Amino acid sequence: MIYYTVGPLVIRTMTEADAHTIAEGERAQGYGTTPDRFLSRLREQEEGKCIAIAAEWSGQAAGYIHVYPDSQWGPLGGRGYPEIVDFGVLEKFRRQGVGSRLMDAAEAVAAECAPEVYLAVGLHKYYGHAQRMYIKRGYLPDGSGVWYGDKPCEPYGTYRNDDELNLYLVKKLR
């Protein structure tokens, strides 16, 4: 399915080839990404649990985003709300509107499921651009506090500031 196309940018359903290309691109950026991460999302898409979306720039896989229409994780998990999960744009394609168009597609998919969508954003400095983008797009903290992994953090607890330390944000779609 094609969600959006303009000039060199196409936002469409992710393919298995994308899984390999994006993983290779992220490894070149210094991440330890393997295709398995994306292949598992494609399997979940086949099972009806996930919608895997890819960005293509001039024929090259440029980014990805996933929507779980009835997410089972986080503060709204199991309550019929969609969650945006695992969003990224390869560095060489950033600052060209790829991320914004991926978010537009994910939010359009989510709006078909519920009046609100939620997501988790990491708290360390490497998530700074994402934090700013989400706030500019109208996402607000959901009020459940900071989470580590799949559990809310206890007040005054000690937690490691890694990719598992997140703040959940929610946005009204309609």
Side-chain angles (χ1 to χ4, degrees), residues 101-125:
R101 296 297 176 247
L102 281 166
M103 286 295 296
D104 290 346
E107 289 173 357
V109 166
E112 294 176 11
C113 305
E116 295 180 336
V117 65
Y118 71 108
L119 54 79
V121 65
L123 297 179
H124 60 68
K125 71 178 183 175

mmCIF file with all atom_site columns, all heavy atoms in Angstrom, residues 101-125:
data_model
loop_
_atom_site.group_PDB
_atom_site.id
_atom_site.type_symbol
_atom_site.label_atom_id
_atom_site.label_alt_id
_atom_site.label_comp_id
_atom_site.label_asym_id
_atom_site.label_entity_id
_atom_site.label_seq_id
_atom_site.pdbx_PDB_ins_code
_atom_site.Cartn_x
_atom_site.Cartn_y
_atom_site.Cartn_z
_atom_site.occupancy
_atom_site.B_iso_or_equiv
_atom_site.pdbx_formal_charge
_atom_site.auth_seq_id
_atom_site.auth_comp_id
_atom_site.auth_asym_id
_atom_site.auth_atom_id
_atom_site.pdbx_PDB_model_num
ATOM 1   N N   . ARG A 1 101 ? 6.658   12.784 7.273  1.00 0.00 ? 101 ARG A N   1
ATOM 2   C CA  . ARG A 1 101 ? 5.720   12.042 6.429  1.00 0.00 ? 101 ARG A CA  1
ATOM 3   C C   . ARG A 1 101 ? 5.454   10.642 6.981  1.00 0.00 ? 101 ARG A C   1
ATOM 4   O O   . ARG A 1 101 ? 4.334   10.129 6.865  1.00 0.00 ? 101 ARG A O   1
ATOM 5   C CB  . ARG A 1 101 ? 6.219   11.971 4.988  1.00 0.00 ? 101 ARG A CB  1
ATOM 6   C CG  . ARG A 1 101 ? 6.312   13.298 4.301  1.00 0.00 ? 101 ARG A CG  1
ATOM 7   C CD  . ARG A 1 101 ? 4.939   13.969 4.172  1.00 0.00 ? 101 ARG A CD  1
ATOM 8   N NE  . ARG A 1 101 ? 5.075   15.286 3.595  1.00 0.00 ? 101 ARG A NE  1
ATOM 9   C CZ  . ARG A 1 101 ? 4.830   16.418 4.248  1.00 0.00 ? 101 ARG A CZ  1
ATOM 10  N NH1 . ARG A 1 101 ? 4.423   16.392 5.490  1.00 0.00 ? 101 ARG A NH1 1
ATOM 11  N NH2 . ARG A 1 101 ? 4.955   17.581 3.658  1.00 0.00 ? 101 ARG A NH2 1
ATOM 12  N N   . LEU A 1 102 ? 6.471   10.021 7.575  1.00 0.00 ? 102 LEU A N   1
ATOM 13  C CA  . LEU A 1 102 ? 6.245   8.732  8.235  1.00 0.00 ? 102 LEU A CA  1
ATOM 14  C C   . LEU A 1 102 ? 5.259   8.899  9.390  1.00 0.00 ? 102 LEU A C   1
ATOM 15  O O   . LEU A 1 102 ? 4.338   8.093  9.559  1.00 0.00 ? 102 LEU A O   1
ATOM 16  C CB  . LEU A 1 102 ? 7.561   8.139  8.744  1.00 0.00 ? 102 LEU A CB  1
ATOM 17  C CG  . LEU A 1 102 ? 8.434   7.448  7.714  1.00 0.00 ? 102 LEU A CG  1
ATOM 18  C CD1 . LEU A 1 102 ? 9.837   7.211  8.268  1.00 0.00 ? 102 LEU A CD1 1
ATOM 19  C CD2 . LEU A 1 102 ? 7.806   6.125  7.275  1.00 0.00 ? 102 LEU A CD2 1
ATOM 20  N N   . MET A 1 103 ? 5.449   9.954  10.184 1.00 0.00 ? 103 MET A N   1
ATOM 21  C CA  . MET A 1 103 ? 4.524   10.213 11.290 1.00 0.00 ? 103 MET A CA  1
ATOM 22  C C   . MET A 1 103 ? 3.119   10.501 10.766 1.00 0.00 ? 103 MET A C   1
ATOM 23  O O   . MET A 1 103 ? 2.130   10.033 11.352 1.00 0.00 ? 103 MET A O   1
ATOM 24  C CB  . MET A 1 103 ? 5.025   11.379 12.148 1.00 0.00 ? 103 MET A CB  1
ATOM 25  C CG  . MET A 1 103 ? 6.201   11.042 13.044 1.00 0.00 ? 103 MET A CG  1
ATOM 26  S SD  . MET A 1 103 ? 5.810   9.826  14.334 1.00 0.00 ? 103 MET A SD  1
ATOM 27  C CE  . MET A 1 103 ? 4.612   10.715 15.319 1.00 0.00 ? 103 MET A CE  1
ATOM 28  N N   . ASP A 1 104 ? 3.004   11.265 9.672  1.00 0.00 ? 104 ASP A N   1
ATOM 29  C CA  . ASP A 1 104 ? 1.679   11.535 9.089  1.00 0.00 ? 104 ASP A CA  1
ATOM 30  C C   . ASP A 1 104 ? 0.968   10.222 8.742  1.00 0.00 ? 104 ASP A C   1
ATOM 31  O O   . ASP A 1 104 ? -0.214  10.049 9.047  1.00 0.00 ? 104 ASP A O   1
ATOM 32  C CB  . ASP A 1 104 ? 1.804   12.371 7.809  1.00 0.00 ? 104 ASP A CB  1
ATOM 33  C CG  . ASP A 1 104 ? 2.245   13.811 8.053  1.00 0.00 ? 104 ASP A CG  1
ATOM 34  O OD1 . ASP A 1 104 ? 2.207   14.280 9.209  1.00 0.00 ? 104 ASP A OD1 1
ATOM 35  O OD2 . ASP A 1 104 ? 2.647   14.459 7.058  1.00 0.00 ? 104 ASP A OD2 1
ATOM 36  N N   . ALA A 1 105 ? 1.701   9.306  8.113  1.00 0.00 ? 105 ALA A N   1
ATOM 37  C CA  . ALA A 1 105 ? 1.103   8.021  7.723  1.00 0.00 ? 105 ALA A CA  1
ATOM 38  C C   . ALA A 1 105 ? 0.710   7.216  8.957  1.00 0.00 ? 105 ALA A C   1
ATOM 39  O O   . ALA A 1 105 ? -0.390  6.645  9.009  1.00 0.00 ? 105 ALA A O   1
ATOM 40  C CB  . ALA A 1 105 ? 2.080   7.230  6.854  1.00 0.00 ? 105 ALA A CB  1
ATOM 41  N N   . ALA A 1 106 ? 1.594   7.162  9.953  1.00 0.00 ? 106 ALA A N   1
ATOM 42  C CA  . ALA A 1 106 ? 1.299   6.396  11.171 1.00 0.00 ? 106 ALA A CA  1
ATOM 43  C C   . ALA A 1 106 ? 0.083   6.972  11.893 1.00 0.00 ? 106 ALA A C   1
ATOM 44  O O   . ALA A 1 106 ? -0.784  6.222  12.365 1.00 0.00 ? 106 ALA A O   1
ATOM 45  C CB  . ALA A 1 106 ? 2.517   6.388  12.088 1.00 0.00 ? 106 ALA A CB  1
ATOM 46  N N   . GLU A 1 107 ? -0.003  8.287  11.967 1.00 0.00 ? 107 GLU A N   1
ATOM 47  C CA  . GLU A 1 107 ? -1.144  8.914  12.641 1.00 0.00 ? 107 GLU A CA  1
ATOM 48  C C   . GLU A 1 107 ? -2.440  8.686  11.863 1.00 0.00 ? 107 GLU A C   1
ATOM 49  O O   . GLU A 1 107 ? -3.502  8.498  12.462 1.00 0.00 ? 107 GLU A O   1
ATOM 50  C CB  . GLU A 1 107 ? -0.887  10.400 12.854 1.00 0.00 ? 107 GLU A CB  1
ATOM 51  C CG  . GLU A 1 107 ? 0.172   10.646 13.928 1.00 0.00 ? 107 GLU A CG  1
ATOM 52  C CD  . GLU A 1 107 ? 0.587   12.105 14.043 1.00 0.00 ? 107 GLU A CD  1
ATOM 53  O OE1 . GLU A 1 107 ? 0.107   12.953 13.250 1.00 0.00 ? 107 GLU A OE1 1
ATOM 54  O OE2 . GLU A 1 107 ? 1.408   12.401 14.936 1.00 0.00 ? 107 GLU A OE2 1
ATOM 55  N N   . ALA A 1 108 ? -2.368  8.671  10.536 1.00 0.00 ? 108 ALA A N   1
ATOM 56  C CA  . ALA A 1 108 ? -3.566  8.389  9.730  1.00 0.00 ? 108 ALA A CA  1
ATOM 57  C C   . ALA A 1 108 ? -4.050  6.964  9.964  1.00 0.00 ? 108 ALA A C   1
ATOM 58  O O   . ALA A 1 108 ? -5.255  6.721  10.119 1.00 0.00 ? 108 ALA A O   1
ATOM 59  C CB  . ALA A 1 108 ? -3.270  8.620  8.246  1.00 0.00 ? 108 ALA A CB  1
ATOM 60  N N   . VAL A 1 109 ? -3.116  6.023  10.040 1.00 0.00 ? 109 VAL A N   1
ATOM 61  C CA  . VAL A 1 109 ? -3.471  4.627  10.340 1.00 0.00 ? 109 VAL A CA  1
ATOM 62  C C   . VAL A 1 109 ? -4.088  4.543  11.735 1.00 0.00 ? 109 VAL A C   1
ATOM 63  O O   . VAL A 1 109 ? -5.129  3.910  11.937 1.00 0.00 ? 109 VAL A O   1
ATOM 64  C CB  . VAL A 1 109 ? -2.226  3.714  10.226 1.00 0.00 ? 109 VAL A CB  1
ATOM 65  C CG1 . VAL A 1 109 ? -2.478  2.357  10.856 1.00 0.00 ? 109 VAL A CG1 1
ATOM 66  C CG2 . VAL A 1 109 ? -1.800  3.570  8.779  1.00 0.00 ? 109 VAL A CG2 1
ATOM 67  N N   . ALA A 1 110 ? -3.464  5.199  12.701 1.00 0.00 ? 110 ALA A N   1
ATOM 68  C CA  . ALA A 1 110 ? -3.953  5.167  14.085 1.00 0.00 ? 110 ALA A CA  1
ATOM 69  C C   . ALA A 1 110 ? -5.341  5.792  14.196 1.00 0.00 ? 110 ALA A C   1
ATOM 70  O O   . ALA A 1 110 ? -6.194  5.296  14.949 1.00 0.00 ? 110 ALA A O   1
ATOM 71  C CB  . ALA A 1 110 ? -2.966  5.884  15.007 1.00 0.00 ? 110 ALA A CB  1
ATOM 72  N N   . ALA A 1 111 ? -5.592  6.860  13.460 1.00 0.00 ? 111 ALA A N   1
ATOM 73  C CA  . ALA A 1 111 ? -6.884  7.548  13.515 1.00 0.00 ? 111 ALA A CA  1
ATOM 74  C C   . ALA A 1 111 ? -8.036  6.668  13.047 1.00 0.00 ? 111 ALA A C   1
ATOM 75  O O   . ALA A 1 111 ? -9.183  6.890  13.441 1.00 0.00 ? 111 ALA A O   1
ATOM 76  C CB  . ALA A 1 111 ? -6.830  8.832  12.690 1.00 0.00 ? 111 ALA A CB  1
ATOM 77  N N   . GLU A 1 112 ? -7.731  5.660  12.245 1.00 0.00 ? 112 GLU A N   1
ATOM 78  C CA  . GLU A 1 112 ? -8.771  4.714  11.814 1.00 0.00 ? 112 GLU A CA  1
ATOM 79  C C   . GLU A 1 112 ? -9.174  3.767  12.938 1.00 0.00 ? 112 GLU A C   1
ATOM 80  O O   . GLU A 1 112 ? -10.208 3.118  12.859 1.00 0.00 ? 112 GLU A O   1
ATOM 81  C CB  . GLU A 1 112 ? -8.275  3.912  10.614 1.00 0.00 ? 112 GLU A CB  1
ATOM 82  C CG  . GLU A 1 112 ? -8.060  4.736  9.366  1.00 0.00 ? 112 GLU A CG  1
ATOM 83  C CD  . GLU A 1 112 ? -7.470  3.940  8.221  1.00 0.00 ? 112 GLU A CD  1
ATOM 84  O OE1 . GLU A 1 112 ? -7.405  2.694  8.316  1.00 0.00 ? 112 GLU A OE1 1
ATOM 85  O OE2 . GLU A 1 112 ? -7.059  4.559  7.231  1.00 0.00 ? 112 GLU A OE2 1
ATOM 86  N N   . CYS A 1 113 ? -8.335  3.699  13.983 1.00 0.00 ? 113 CYS A N   1
ATOM 87  C CA  . CYS A 1 113 ? -8.557  2.749  15.078 1.00 0.00 ? 113 CYS A CA  1
ATOM 88  C C   . CYS A 1 113 ? -9.136  3.384  16.337 1.00 0.00 ? 113 CYS A C   1
ATOM 89  O O   . CYS A 1 113 ? -9.881  2.730  17.068 1.00 0.00 ? 113 CYS A O   1
ATOM 90  C CB  . CYS A 1 113 ? -7.234  2.083  15.454 1.00 0.00 ? 113 CYS A CB  1
ATOM 91  S SG  . CYS A 1 113 ? -6.389  1.301  14.086 1.00 0.00 ? 113 CYS A SG  1
ATOM 92  N N   . ALA A 1 114 ? -8.736  4.613  16.630 1.00 0.00 ? 114 ALA A N   1
ATOM 93  C CA  . ALA A 1 114 ? -9.116  5.242  17.898 1.00 0.00 ? 114 ALA A CA  1
ATOM 94  C C   . ALA A 1 114 ? -8.926  6.758  17.795 1.00 0.00 ? 114 ALA A C   1
ATOM 95  O O   . ALA A 1 114 ? -8.228  7.242  16.900 1.00 0.00 ? 114 ALA A O   1
ATOM 96  C CB  . ALA A 1 114 ? -8.256  4.683  19.032 1.00 0.00 ? 114 ALA A CB  1
ATOM 97  N N   . PRO A 1 115 ? -9.502  7.503  18.729 1.00 0.00 ? 115 PRO A N   1
ATOM 98  C CA  . PRO A 1 115 ? -9.369  8.960  18.693 1.00 0.00 ? 115 PRO A CA  1
ATOM 99  C C   . PRO A 1 115 ? -8.024  9.477  19.220 1.00 0.00 ? 115 PRO A C   1
ATOM 100 O O   . PRO A 1 115 ? -7.741  10.666 19.107 1.00 0.00 ? 115 PRO A O   1
ATOM 101 C CB  . PRO A 1 115 ? -10.519 9.448  19.575 1.00 0.00 ? 115 PRO A CB  1
ATOM 102 C CG  . PRO A 1 115 ? -10.764 8.314  20.520 1.00 0.00 ? 115 PRO A CG  1
ATOM 103 C CD  . PRO A 1 115 ? -10.450 7.059  19.748 1.00 0.00 ? 115 PRO A CD  1
ATOM 104 N N   . GLU A 1 116 ? -7.225  8.596  19.792 1.00 0.00 ? 116 GLU A N   1
ATOM 105 C CA  . GLU A 1 116 ? -5.917  8.983  20.328 1.00 0.00 ? 116 GLU A CA  1
ATOM 106 C C   . GLU A 1 116 ? -4.873  7.943  19.950 1.00 0.00 ? 116 GLU A C   1
ATOM 107 O O   . GLU A 1 116 ? -5.199  6.780  19.719 1.00 0.00 ? 116 GLU A O   1
ATOM 108 C CB  . GLU A 1 116 ? -5.955  9.091  21.863 1.00 0.00 ? 116 GLU A CB  1
ATOM 109 C CG  . GLU A 1 116 ? -6.853  10.175 22.374 1.00 0.00 ? 116 GLU A CG  1
ATOM 110 C CD  . GLU A 1 116 ? -6.882  10.258 23.888 1.00 0.00 ? 116 GLU A CD  1
ATOM 111 O OE1 . GLU A 1 116 ? -6.598  9.247  24.568 1.00 0.00 ? 116 GLU A OE1 1
ATOM 112 O OE2 . GLU A 1 116 ? -7.201  11.337 24.391 1.00 0.00 ? 116 GLU A OE2 1
ATOM 113 N N   . VAL A 1 117 ? -3.624  8.370  19.929 1.00 0.00 ? 117 VAL A N   1
ATOM 114 C CA  . VAL A 1 117 ? -2.494  7.484  19.695 1.00 0.00 ? 117 VAL A CA  1
ATOM 115 C C   . VAL A 1 117 ? -1.454  7.792  20.755 1.00 0.00 ? 117 VAL A C   1
ATOM 116 O O   . VAL A 1 117 ? -1.396  8.915  21.271 1.00 0.00 ? 117 VAL A O   1
ATOM 117 C CB  . VAL A 1 117 ? -1.921  7.668  18.269 1.00 0.00 ? 117 VAL A CB  1
ATOM 118 C CG1 . VAL A 1 117 ? -1.336  9.056  18.064 1.00 0.00 ? 117 VAL A CG1 1
ATOM 119 C CG2 . VAL A 1 117 ? -0.893  6.595  17.939 1.00 0.00 ? 117 VAL A CG2 1
ATOM 120 N N   . TYR A 1 118 ? -0.627  6.799  21.098 1.00 0.00 ? 118 TYR A N   1
ATOM 121 C CA  . TYR A 1 118 ? 0.439   7.061  22.061 1.00 0.00 ? 118 TYR A CA  1
ATOM 122 C C   . TYR A 1 118 ? 1.739   6.453  21.580 1.00 0.00 ? 118 TYR A C   1
ATOM 123 O O   . TYR A 1 118 ? 1.787   5.664  20.644 1.00 0.00 ? 118 TYR A O   1
ATOM 124 C CB  . TYR A 1 118 ? 0.062   6.579  23.456 1.00 0.00 ? 118 TYR A CB  1
ATOM 125 C CG  . TYR A 1 118 ? 0.014   5.082  23.693 1.00 0.00 ? 118 TYR A CG  1
ATOM 126 C CD1 . TYR A 1 118 ? 0.988   4.457  24.460 1.00 0.00 ? 118 TYR A CD1 1
ATOM 127 C CD2 . TYR A 1 118 ? -1.027  4.306  23.197 1.00 0.00 ? 118 TYR A CD2 1
ATOM 128 C CE1 . TYR A 1 118 ? 0.935   3.098  24.711 1.00 0.00 ? 118 TYR A CE1 1
ATOM 129 C CE2 . TYR A 1 118 ? -1.096  2.946  23.447 1.00 0.00 ? 118 TYR A CE2 1
ATOM 130 C CZ  . TYR A 1 118 ? -0.102  2.348  24.200 1.00 0.00 ? 118 TYR A CZ  1
ATOM 131 O OH  . TYR A 1 118 ? -0.155  0.995  24.447 1.00 0.00 ? 118 TYR A OH  1
ATOM 132 N N   . LEU A 1 119 ? 2.826   6.884  22.207 1.00 0.00 ? 119 LEU A N   1
ATOM 133 C CA  . LEU A 1 119 ? 4.166   6.397  21.897 1.00 0.00 ? 119 LEU A CA  1
ATOM 134 C C   . LEU A 1 119 ? 5.060   6.628  23.102 1.00 0.00 ? 119 LEU A C   1
ATOM 135 O O   . LEU A 1 119 ? 4.724   7.386  23.998 1.00 0.00 ? 119 LEU A O   1
ATOM 136 C CB  . LEU A 1 119 ? 4.723   7.089  20.639 1.00 0.00 ? 119 LEU A CB  1
ATOM 137 C CG  . LEU A 1 119 ? 4.746   8.616  20.599 1.00 0.00 ? 119 LEU A CG  1
ATOM 138 C CD1 . LEU A 1 119 ? 5.898   9.206  21.383 1.00 0.00 ? 119 LEU A CD1 1
ATOM 139 C CD2 . LEU A 1 119 ? 4.830   9.089  19.158 1.00 0.00 ? 119 LEU A CD2 1
ATOM 140 N N   . ALA A 1 120 ? 6.187   5.951  23.100 1.00 0.00 ? 120 ALA A N   1
ATOM 141 C CA  . ALA A 1 120 ? 7.182   6.139  24.156 1.00 0.00 ? 120 ALA A CA  1
ATOM 142 C C   . ALA A 1 120 ? 8.406   6.777  23.532 1.00 0.00 ? 120 ALA A C   1
ATOM 143 O O   . ALA A 1 120 ? 8.803   6.421  22.418 1.00 0.00 ? 120 ALA A O   1
ATOM 144 C CB  . ALA A 1 120 ? 7.558   4.795  24.784 1.00 0.00 ? 120 ALA A CB  1
ATOM 145 N N   . VAL A 1 121 ? 9.007   7.717  24.244 1.00 0.00 ? 121 VAL A N   1
ATOM 146 C CA  . VAL A 1 121 ? 10.235  8.345  23.755 1.00 0.00 ? 121 VAL A CA  1
ATOM 147 C C   . VAL A 1 121 ? 11.305  8.211  24.836 1.00 0.00 ? 121 VAL A C   1
ATOM 148 O O   . VAL A 1 121 ? 11.029  8.355  26.023 1.00 0.00 ? 121 VAL A O   1
ATOM 149 C CB  . VAL A 1 121 ? 10.010  9.822  23.358 1.00 0.00 ? 121 VAL A CB  1
ATOM 150 C CG1 . VAL A 1 121 ? 9.631   10.688 24.547 1.00 0.00 ? 121 VAL A CG1 1
ATOM 151 C CG2 . VAL A 1 121 ? 11.226  10.381 22.641 1.00 0.00 ? 121 VAL A CG2 1
ATOM 152 N N   . GLY A 1 122 ? 12.512  7.892  24.383 1.00 0.00 ? 122 GLY A N   1
ATOM 153 C CA  . GLY A 1 122 ? 13.637  7.777  25.299 1.00 0.00 ? 122 GLY A CA  1
ATOM 154 C C   . GLY A 1 122 ? 13.999  9.121  25.898 1.00 0.00 ? 122 GLY A C   1
ATOM 155 O O   . GLY A 1 122 ? 13.663  10.182 25.360 1.00 0.00 ? 122 GLY A O   1
ATOM 156 N N   . LEU A 1 123 ? 14.711  9.085  27.013 1.00 0.00 ? 123 LEU A N   1
ATOM 157 C CA  . LEU A 1 123 ? 15.012  10.312 27.744 1.00 0.00 ? 123 LEU A CA  1
ATOM 158 C C   . LEU A 1 123 ? 16.445  10.791 27.625 1.00 0.00 ? 123 LEU A C   1
ATOM 159 O O   . LEU A 1 123 ? 16.744  11.904 28.035 1.00 0.00 ? 123 LEU A O   1
ATOM 160 C CB  . LEU A 1 123 ? 14.641  10.130 29.225 1.00 0.00 ? 123 LEU A CB  1
ATOM 161 C CG  . LEU A 1 123 ? 13.150  9.882  29.468 1.00 0.00 ? 123 LEU A CG  1
ATOM 162 C CD1 . LEU A 1 123 ? 12.877  9.702  30.949 1.00 0.00 ? 123 LEU A CD1 1
ATOM 163 C CD2 . LEU A 1 123 ? 12.314  11.014 28.904 1.00 0.00 ? 123 LEU A CD2 1
ATOM 164 N N   . HIS A 1 124 ? 17.351  9.980  27.052 1.00 0.00 ? 124 HIS A N   1
ATOM 165 C CA  . HIS A 1 124 ? 18.724  10.488 26.949 1.00 0.00 ? 124 HIS A CA  1
ATOM 166 C C   . HIS A 1 124 ? 18.884  11.363 25.710 1.00 0.00 ? 124 HIS A C   1
ATOM 167 O O   . HIS A 1 124 ? 17.978  11.483 24.879 1.00 0.00 ? 124 HIS A O   1
ATOM 168 C CB  . HIS A 1 124 ? 19.762  9.366  27.032 1.00 0.00 ? 124 HIS A CB  1
ATOM 169 C CG  . HIS A 1 124 ? 19.685  8.317  25.983 1.00 0.00 ? 124 HIS A CG  1
ATOM 170 N ND1 . HIS A 1 124 ? 19.966  8.562  24.665 1.00 0.00 ? 124 HIS A ND1 1
ATOM 171 C CD2 . HIS A 1 124 ? 19.364  7.001  26.059 1.00 0.00 ? 124 HIS A CD2 1
ATOM 172 C CE1 . HIS A 1 124 ? 19.846  7.449  23.972 1.00 0.00 ? 124 HIS A CE1 1
ATOM 173 N NE2 . HIS A 1 124 ? 19.459  6.484  24.797 1.00 0.00 ? 124 HIS A NE2 1
ATOM 174 N N   . LYS A 1 125 ? 20.045  12.010 25.597 1.00 0.00 ? 125 LYS A N   1
ATOM 175 C CA  . LYS A 1 125 ? 20.244  13.055 24.587 1.00 0.00 ? 125 LYS A CA  1
ATOM 176 C C   . LYS A 1 125 ? 20.079  12.587 23.146 1.00 0.00 ? 125 LYS A C   1
ATOM 177 O O   . LYS A 1 125 ? 19.746  13.384 22.276 1.00 0.00 ? 125 LYS A O   1
ATOM 178 C CB  . LYS A 1 125 ? 21.591  13.734 24.769 1.00 0.00 ? 125 LYS A CB  1
ATOM 179 C CG  . LYS A 1 125 ? 22.786  12.878 24.408 1.00 0.00 ? 125 LYS A CG  1
ATOM 180 C CD  . LYS A 1 125 ? 24.070  13.673 24.594 1.00 0.00 ? 125 LYS A CD  1
ATOM 181 C CE  . LYS A 1 125 ? 25.276  12.877 24.166 1.00 0.00 ? 125 LYS A CE  1
ATOM 182 N NZ  . LYS A 1 125 ? 26.483  13.702 24.251 1.00 0.00 ? 125 LYS A NZ  1
#
